[in-house]
Structures are given as C-alpha cells and as structure tokens.
Amino acid sequence: MKIMFLGAPGAGKGTQAEIVAEKYSIPAISTGAIIREAIKNETEMGKAAKAYTESGALVPDEVVIGIIKERLEEKDCKGGFILDGFPRTVAQAEALDSMGIEMDVVVSIEVPDEKIVERMSGRRVCEKCGASYHTVYKPSKDQKTCDKDGAPLILRRDDSPEVVKSRLGVYHEQTEPLKDYYASKGKLKIVIGQEEVADTTKLTLEAISGAKA
Ligand code: AMP
C-alpha cells in the first residue's frame, strides 16, 4: 500500500502517518524529519536546508526530491510506504510520477488555520527520535520526556506562532494545488481533522480502506 498524507503543517498528518504505518507495517517517511536530522547532524544538506526550514520556507525542490529518491530505494519500502510532507509542490509530485511511483490513495487532512495556530503552540517533539506529542491532545506520560526513549521534549523553532503563520501561507500557495492534482487522478480522499486523534484515525482508516476496495 502506498499512502500519501497532505494537509497544512499541524493538521495532524504526522500523527496519523505514524499510526497507519504501525497498522499496515510499512514505513512512514517524513521529509521534515529527515531534514531536521540532517540539520542536527550538521551534514552538508542540513546546513543548506537550515535557513529555509527555520523561516518556514520550503527547502528547494531538487534537494527534497534527492532525499526522497534515495529513501524510497531502501529495502523497507518494497512492500509499500507512507509519505508525510512530500510532495509539497506540483514539481515534487511530477518528480514522483517520473520515478514511476503511483500512490494508492492520497489523504488530505483538513483543519481550519485558526485551529492550527492554536494547536501548534502545544506541539512538542522528542529531541532524539522526533516523535511528536501535544500538551493537550497527545501528552507524553510526564509531559516532559518522550515515552519511547525518555529524551527531552522540545518546541520546534518553526512551531512558533509567527513561523506557523508563514508556513500556512506557503501551504495554501504551494501545496494546496496538489489536492486538484490528485483529485484529477481519482486518488484524493478528504478527512476532516477532529478534536480527538482517535476520531481522525477512524476517518483516515475508512478513507484508506475505501480506496483499497
Ligand atoms: P514538516 O515537519 O513536514 O512540517 O517539515 C518541516 C520543514 O521541512 C518545512 O517547513 C520545510 O522547510 C522542510 N520540508 C519538509 N518537507 C519538505 C518538502 N517536501 N519540500 C520542501 N521543504 C520541505
């Protein structure tokens, strides 16, 4: 199964991607997580991406296309995968097409902008493994450290309200056109993001299994 999640930053696609990945035993691939890891490790790619990411802009297409090409060639992707945060531009979607990759379903998780700004201020990520939590909607057991590895939880710099607003602008302008792109291929399913993660998961799984049938 090849599943793609679309949605504004903070709409909850990363959380749903992790849940669905576990259920289907396929990897969830987040270009954002790969980029953050590269920034942390100060690799050449990380150094080049840092300024874009921290200001809420998109990293250039050729860089992310290179990242995803390499990642999808790994063995664990043979039985399917989930794309979370890629593609984010029509050029990236076209690159995926030209790699010969056809998605089974594209799930767009929709949440109003005001709600997103409110949600993002409570988002926390594990400094070590990148797992995401929320102080209200998905708290870790002690609110301070990661349930998986005990490392500290931090507020990402690009989750600050000013950066979130500019990321939403980038989403509407550059990524939202992908909904039409995949709707015209008959792949698009819309899921309205709910207050409770489990309710969104239910709708997401229905959308995916409906597409499979
Ligand atoms: P995310 O964790 O998916 O919200 O991604 C965090 C940041 O990484 C984004 O704001 C971009 O700067 C960068 N990024 C992640 N995925 C992409 C992509 N497909 N294209 C361009 N930039 C990306």
Side-chain angles (χ1 to χ4, degrees):
M1 193 77 174
K2 299 189 196 82
I3 303 164
M4 179 190 293
F5 280 102
L6 292 179
K13 55 186 172 10
T15 301
Q16 296 304 325
E18 281 177 29
I19 296 170
V20 175
E22 196 156 316
K23 186 170 166 62
Y24 283 84
S25 300
I26 49 177
I29 299 166
S30 154
T31 40
I34 296 172
I35 291 167
R36 276 189 292 283
E37 185 67 18
I39 293 175
K40 196 169 86 187
N41 294 332
E42 298 183 345
T43 66
E44 282 310 305
M45 187 272 278
K47 285 185 206 155
K50 193 168 191 247
Y52 295 103
T53 295
E54 287 187 350
S55 68
L58 293 183
V59 171
D61 285 335
E62 59 276 16
V63 176
V64 268
I65 290 167
I67 292 173
I68 211 80
K69 219 176 207 163
E70 216 172 85
R71 181 64 186 86
L72 294 180
E73 277 164 9
E74 286 180 33
K75 263 214 307 280
D76 63 338
C77 293
K78 293 274 177 286
F81 49 83
I82 296 172
L83 294 181
D84 161 22
F86 182 95
R88 264 176 152 102
T89 63
V90 171
Q92 292 177 19
E94 286 169 351
L96 202 57
D97 290 345
S98 63
M99 287 176 222
I101 292 168
E102 199 187 327
M103 304 310 293
D104 295 302
V105 58
V106 176
V107 179
S108 176
I109 301 187
E110 318 248 318
V111 174
D113 285 7
E114 316 76 71
K115 190 90 206 153
I116 286 183
V117 175
E118 180 196 315
R119 273 189 191 180
M120 297 285 257
S121 59
R123 188 149 92 161
R124 299 291 180 274
V125 293
C126 171
E127 196 177 66
K128 193 166 164 205
C129 74
S132 71
Y133 297 90
H134 192 281
T135 50
V136 179
Y137 303 110
K138 192 191 168 197
S140 81
K141 291 199 181 85
D142 66 2
Q143 286 276 19
K144 290 193 195 83
T145 57
C146 179
D147 291 344
K148 296 180 185 168
D149 57 24
L153 301 183
I154 54 165
L155 174 68
R156 271 164 48 179
R157 196 185 295 201
D158 59 346
D159 281 348
S160 69
E162 315 79 70
V163 180
V164 168
K165 283 183 193 140
S166 88
R167 290 170 72 198
L168 285 170
V170 168
Y171 169 75
H172 291 302
E173 199 177 302
Q174 302 195 54
T175 307
E176 216 167 12
L178 291 178
K179 280 163 54 183
D180 285 342
Y181 187 88
Y182 289 109
S184 71
K185 291 176 186 279
K187 303 286 182 195
L188 186 73
K189 299 275 178 183
I190 303 281
V191 164
I192 304 295
Q194 306 291 308
E195 285 292 325
E196 296 290 331
V197 170
D199 294 335
T200 307
T201 301
K202 185 168 176 280
L203 297 175
T204 300
L205 293 175
E206 278 168 13
I208 293 171
S209 57
K212 206 178 170 188

